[in-house]
Amino acid sequence: MNETQVKEIMIPILNYVTVQKRNTLVEVLKSMEQARKSENEHAHRDAIVVDANGVLIGKVTMIDVFRTLEPNYSKVEQQKEKGILTADFVMKAVKDFNLWIEPTQTIRERAGRLMVSDVMHTPEKIEYIEETATIENALHLYVMGIHQPLIVNDKDGNVTGLLRFGDVFEVVRQQLLGCSVS
């Protein structure tokens, strides 16, 4: 791969959907919808959570929303830590923990009560990447299962943007299409 740097394809922090812990999940979803309908070229499926000073303290992603809407996923996670994840395990867990059997109305009502603080994921150190890192470095993190999106820092540790897996894939796809095959 070439040496494309993360900062070349990241979404600047100012262009990202931002919310606070006191917002409701419904408010987050409305903010995402508004961003999707705007002239913004980056349709967001997640948001960053900032404190009163605008400092990133977490993120709300699609997986966070689904895991929170179905509280029994926490039980599955506990069981998963005891063994290897297989298709049989997943299907047994769906049955054993009654995943997603509640009526849609019950799930909607739960979503209406949820606050960002209930849903948000607090990033771990490994979820941060320097803006001068190569997309290859980012790709390694994603393939190894890091919670998306990656948070991009400058050399001083200030958050400057977010890097989505789909954007990394698009760069790699374009590079591969440019290769001549003999």
Side-chain angles (χ1 to χ4, degrees), residues 67-83:
R67 284 181 177 156
T68 305
L69 287 176
E70 174 48 84
N72 284 328
Y73 279 128
S74 62
K75 295 176 186 173
V76 175
E77 192 65 30
Q78 292 167 0
Q79 293 299 314
K80 184 178 117 182
E81 291 172 3
K82 296 177 183 177

Side-chain angles (χ1 to χ4, degrees), residues 19-21 47-51 55-61 63-65 67-68 115-128 145-151 159 162:
V19 297
Q20 294 191 334
K21 288 171 77 170
I48 58 168
V49 183
V50 296
D51 66 14
V55 176
L56 185 141
I57 57 171
K59 48 190 175 176
V60 175
T61 67
I63 198 75
D64 299 321
V65 171
R67 284 181 177 156
T68 305
M115 304 299 287
V116 167
S117 58
D118 299 321
V119 181
M120 72 179 253
H121 167 80
T122 303
E124 298 176 32
K125 186 177 180 179
I126 195 163
E127 296 173 49
Y128 290 80
I146 298 304
H147 193 279
Q148 300 179 38
L150 290 174
I151 302 164
V159 175
L162 284 99

Side-chain angles (χ1 to χ4, degrees), residues 10-80:
M10 72 176 196
I11 298 171
I13 195 79
L14 296 175
N15 296 350
Y16 227 82
V17 173
T18 59
V19 297
Q20 294 191 334
K21 288 171 77 170
R22 69 177 184 274
N23 291 122
T24 66
L25 177 58
V26 172
E27 289 171 327
V28 173
L29 297 175
K30 286 179 181 178
S31 294
M32 288 178 190
E33 182 65 11
Q34 184 178 1
R36 189 185 68 76
K37 288 181 178 178
S38 74
E39 296 293 322
N40 189 342
E41 65 187 71
H42 304 288
H44 297 253
R45 292 180 179 88
D46 40 49
I48 58 168
V49 183
V50 296
D51 66 14
N53 298 318
V55 176
L56 185 141
I57 57 171
K59 48 190 175 176
V60 175
T61 67
M62 295 176 282
I63 198 75
D64 299 321
V65 171
F66 289 136
R67 284 181 177 156
T68 305
L69 287 176
E70 174 48 84
N72 284 328
Y73 279 128
S74 62
K75 295 176 186 173
V76 175
E77 192 65 30
Q78 292 167 0
Q79 293 299 314
K80 184 178 117 182

Side-chain angles (χ1 to χ4, degrees), residues 43 71 99 101 110 130 132 173:
L99 299 176
I101 65 161
R110 180 179 302 125
E130 285 196 26
T132 56
R173 186 183 73 80

Side-chain angles (χ1 to χ4, degrees), residues 99-146:
L99 299 176
W100 291 99
I101 65 161
E102 294 178 310
T104 303
Q105 184 60 34
T106 302
I107 295 170
R108 283 186 189 144
E109 290 168 3
R110 180 179 302 125
R113 292 187 307 268
L114 288 170
M115 304 299 287
V116 167
S117 58
D118 299 321
V119 181
M120 72 179 253
H121 167 80
T122 303
E124 298 176 32
K125 186 177 180 179
I126 195 163
E127 296 173 49
Y128 290 80
I129 190 166
E130 285 196 26
E131 59 186 14
T132 56
T134 65
I135 61 164
E136 187 174 277
N137 295 120
L139 181 62
H140 295 318
L141 292 170
Y142 280 134
V143 171
M144 297 301 173
I146 298 304

